Amino acid sequence: MQFALFPLRSAQRRAGAPRAAPYSTPPLANAMTLTKAAMAAAAAVAIAALLAAAPAYAAKDNAKWPSHPIRLVLPFPPGGGTDTLARIMAPKLGAILGQPIVVDNKGGAAGNIATDIVAKADPDGYTVLMGFNTALTMNPSLYRNLPFNVERDFKPVTLLASAQYVLVVNPDLPVHSVQDLINLAKSKPGQLNYSSSGTGSPLHLAGELFKARTGADITHIPYKGGGPATIGLLSGQAQLMFGSVSAVMPHVKEGKLRALAVTGLKPSDVAPDLPTLDKTGLPGFNVTSWYGFLVPKGTPDTIVNQLSAAAQKVVQMPEVREAMAKQGLELSIDTPAEFATLIKTESATWADLIQKMNIHAE
């Protein structure tokens, strides 16, 4: 399956900003020490071996699951933070299930390539998607004619981890609370800029949700990634942004940025002193980046429940929790039904916002 990498457009002003990136991967850090080329080559060898052995496994289709290796498809290239987490989890998950977990990186097209691969896979429990919210809840409203439908084609297994964003401002801005910021923005309509990692990115949509909920007229400046967006804020081209914990908190600690609140419904484990936007005048405001396992629709419930239980054991292991914390991730687990409800609820929220703000893919 090939995807055109469609540029995204927004009806908002750019204020002389750099060209927007069409989309960006949720911000995570601490890449693996292996080079991307070496990791890709190793993954290719493993996948080839798995596929070559498929005929031998065919005779065992009726055996108790799992009877042969499981393919874990990631919508990210090798070397990123989520890839690191997946590769830490894979051997531990394989040990519990009794079969190897083969990590298969299928990055590109804002996660659409990997998502479509798993949507079209056999519903036998041997192809699993490590999905993330951008592809599952935002892309269906940003891109027209996607070859998959999340509700129709997937069965959620379990949520694994989530990361909150932080509302930060340039310290030259005379605000020290969320209400201060709202009041200032309303007194100077169109004069405050917020930076993001690109049009259609979670950071952009967080800013648009803030605008919609507060009625503040602030201007979006899209950059080509979270790093450049942070630099734009530090330099004063932008006055505020929603950034990842790992990207902005070091600058907050150095006094180069001022943090006002986090975007989840509960205080962040990695920034416990910050209030939530939900408790500072914006009830129900909830924007997080999250990751979870999904399988093709039609996968037996017995397999879903077994995979869910095993994955939840893995993410609660101390060494895995430590690896998650290094990426700014917090433990987030739930039942398959609860995960399905989360996807449905967030999809409706983003669909309404994207339509209201006229953000779409050509």
Side-chain angles (χ1 to χ4, degrees):
M1 176 62 65
Q2 298 293 323
F3 287 89
L5 304 185
F6 301 114
L8 292 169
R9 299 187 306 174
S10 172
Q12 292 142 349
R13 292 167 283 170
R14 295 302 195 272
R19 270 185 86 181
Y23 39 70
S24 63
T25 302
L28 293 170
N30 296 315
M32 295 182 69
T33 55
L34 292 176
T35 66
K36 292 185 179 181
M39 294 172 65
V45 170
I47 296 300
L50 175 60
L51 295 178
Y57 296 133
K60 298 183 180 181
D61 281 345
N62 294 323
K64 183 179 180 181
W65 182 89
S67 62
H68 57 269
I70 297 168
R71 180 188 186 192
L72 178 59
V73 181
L74 265 64
F76 308 104
T82 306
D83 179 68
T84 302
L85 177 62
R87 292 178 187 278
I88 291 172
M89 290 182 60
K92 301 179 186 303
L93 184 61
I96 293 175
L97 295 175
Q99 290 292 338
I101 308 297
V102 182
V103 177
D104 187 9
N105 300 88
K106 296 295 183 183
N112 293 335
I113 293 175
T115 306
D116 186 58
I117 287 172
V118 179
K120 292 178 170 54
D122 290 336
D124 55 10
Y126 293 101
T127 305
V128 180
L129 175 69
M130 189 167 185
F132 70 112
N133 59 314
T134 300
L136 297 170
T137 67
M138 298 177 182
N139 285 0
S141 295
L142 289 169
Y143 293 87
R144 296 175 182 174
N145 303 317
L146 286 176
F148 59 85
N149 178 286
V150 176
E151 186 172 2
R152 179 194 66 207
D153 296 332
F154 287 97
K155 182 176 284 190
V157 176
T158 183
L159 189 64
L160 297 171
S162 64
Q164 299 197 45
Y165 297 107
V166 184
L167 172 58
V168 290
V169 298
N170 186 292
D172 290 339
L173 204 66
V175 300
H176 292 83
S177 69
V178 174
Q179 194 57 54
D180 285 348
L181 176 61
I182 295 172
N183 293 340
L184 180 65
K186 287 185 175 181
S187 70
K188 296 183 177 182
Q191 297 183 46
L192 298 186
N193 302 326
Y194 78 94
S195 59
S196 85
S197 53
T199 303
S201 68
L203 306 187
H204 174 207
L205 296 185
E208 293 303 297
L209 184 61
F210 182 78
K211 287 173 60 176
R213 290 293 307 276
T214 63
D217 180 10
I218 55 178
T219 302
H220 176 221
I221 301 182
Y223 289 83
K224 295 181 178 180
T230 304
I231 293 173
L233 178 61
L234 290 167
S235 69
Q237 185 174 17
Q239 288 72 50
L240 64 140
M241 73 173 286
F242 289 87
S244 70
V245 171
S246 59
V248 302
M249 289 308 292
H251 298 296
V252 171
K253 292 178 181 178
E254 293 174 0
K256 296 178 180 179
L257 294 176
R258 182 180 300 131
L260 301 183
V262 293
T263 61
L265 294 177
K266 62 183 181 67
S268 169
D269 292 343
V270 293
D273 295 332
L274 291 176
T276 65
L277 283 162
D278 172 63
K279 299 298 185 183
T280 54
L282 299 176
F285 193 104
N286 183 28
V287 181
T288 62
S289 176
W290 49 254
Y291 307 86
F293 282 173
L294 299 94
V295 291
K297 183 77 85 174
T299 302
D301 288 341
T302 53
I303 292 177
V304 171
N305 293 334
Q306 188 175 343
L307 178 59
S308 177
Q312 291 187 18
K313 286 182 181 178
V314 171
V315 293
Q316 293 182 80
M317 293 179 179
E319 58 270 37
V320 177
R321 294 285 299 272
E322 181 179 354
M324 288 168 54
K326 290 180 179 179
Q327 313 299 332
L329 294 171
E330 302 175 20
L331 177 68
S332 298
I333 56 177
D334 57 11
T335 67
E338 289 169 339
F339 191 18
T341 298
L342 173 66
I343 294 172
K344 186 174 182 178
T345 300
E346 288 201 3
S347 295
T349 297
W350 296 127
D352 180 68
L353 181 74
I354 289 167
Q355 181 180 18
K356 180 178 180 180
M357 296 302 185
N358 193 29
I359 306 169
H360 58 88
E362 293 184 332

